[in-house]
Amino acid sequence: MIATSERRYSIEEYRAIAETSTEKCEYHDGKIITMTGGTIKHSRICRNIVTLLDVKLVNTQFEPINSDLRLWIPEYRRGVYPDAMVFDGVIQLNGDRQDEVLNPILIVEVLSPSTEDHDRTDKFRMYRSIPSFCEYLLVRQNEPLVELYSKQSQGWLFSDFDSLESSISLNSVNIDLAMSEIYRGITF
């Protein structure tokens, strides 16, 4: 991610820019951040995860969404684009916005060297302010490693998976994801 300028923008100015921009950009409390392009590994892993979620959640109340939809985080005045999100039942829109949602239960980020620290720390802290949010999946692209954070009554439980033979249990949506399927088409 790179900042486009030091100028502060109102949310209305940002939304007007985002609607006509040819580049995806996030809103960070007055700053507009242009998203950099991804790698083929990143794209394949994102595709694999959204496809897996879509197939496994068909005919349930859960709906997976790809990175085209902006997640609005009111407490931090942030508009961000997770790599994938899952919703339980009705997707809550931000007012009359058709491009901003508020209530994912599961968020997936495929880590990039330039964003990994931010995804693990500040972004995770912001996501935790979302009342419905209860599982966070962080997926490495350069090695088979997936980290899962699950909300518990006493805090967040951490689990990691580093074998292509293992599966990840996502309790929020009652499914398992095979590591081999997440990394289908990826060579290390």
Side-chain angles (χ1 to χ4, degrees):
M1 295 186 300
I2 56 170
T4 56
S5 75
E6 292 301 315
R7 178 177 177 242
R8 309 263 318 159
Y9 294 84
S10 71
I11 186 61
E12 293 79 17
E13 289 173 312
Y14 160 72
R15 288 176 177 148
I17 291 168
E19 286 176 5
T20 60
S21 178
T22 57
E23 299 174 312
K24 192 179 287 185
C25 52
E26 294 186 342
Y27 183 77
H28 292 205
D29 194 24
K31 295 180 183 174
I32 296 176
I33 308 295
T34 302
M35 305 302 294
T36 59
T39 64
I40 189 70
K41 285 182 178 181
H42 187 280
S43 294
R44 284 181 178 151
I45 293 167
C46 289
R47 176 205 59 210
N48 292 347
I49 291 170
V50 171
T51 300
L52 283 168
L53 290 169
D54 196 45
V55 168
K56 289 183 173 278
L57 295 173
V58 71
N59 297 322
T60 71
Q61 77 270 20
F62 302 110
E63 183 176 1
I65 297 289
N66 67 17
S67 64
D68 289 338
L69 196 56
R70 186 168 50 245
L71 172 61
W72 181 250
I73 308 169
E75 184 174 325
Y76 292 94
R77 294 182 41 83
R78 296 287 200 273
V80 298
Y81 293 90
D83 290 313
M85 297 180 279
V86 177
F87 298 84
D88 184 359
V90 176
I91 295 177
Q92 184 182 355
L93 298 173
N94 186 20
D96 62 352
R97 303 287 315 172
Q98 296 297 304
D99 58 352
E100 289 180 359
V101 296
L102 299 168
N103 64 324
I105 60 170
L106 168 66
I107 297 175
V108 179
E109 293 286 5
V110 177
L111 301 173
S112 299
S114 63
T115 64
E116 183 171 349
D117 288 341
H118 179 66
D119 289 343
R120 290 181 183 288
T121 57
D122 294 337
K123 206 175 219 185
F124 185 32
R125 178 177 47 84
M126 288 183 267
Y127 287 162
R128 291 191 312 258
S129 73
I130 301 168
S132 59
F133 174 60
C134 59
E135 279 189 314
Y136 191 37
L137 206 59
L138 296 169
V139 182
R140 286 257 178 102
Q141 52 178 309
N142 295 322
E143 65 178 313
L145 178 62
V146 175
E147 299 170 34
L148 173 64
Y149 292 87
S150 301
K151 190 175 184 178
Q152 310 290 306
S153 60
Q154 300 299 316
W156 288 81
L157 176 66
F158 169 78
S159 305
D160 62 340
F161 307 84
D162 61 3
S163 168
L164 290 174
E165 288 76 42
S166 61
S167 288
I168 302 159
S169 292
L170 298 175
N171 294 326
S172 63
V173 291
N174 303 311
I175 61 170
D176 292 339
L177 296 182
M179 288 279 287
S180 61
E181 289 300 312
I182 289 172
Y183 290 104
R184 184 175 48 83
I186 305 299
T187 54
F188 301 103

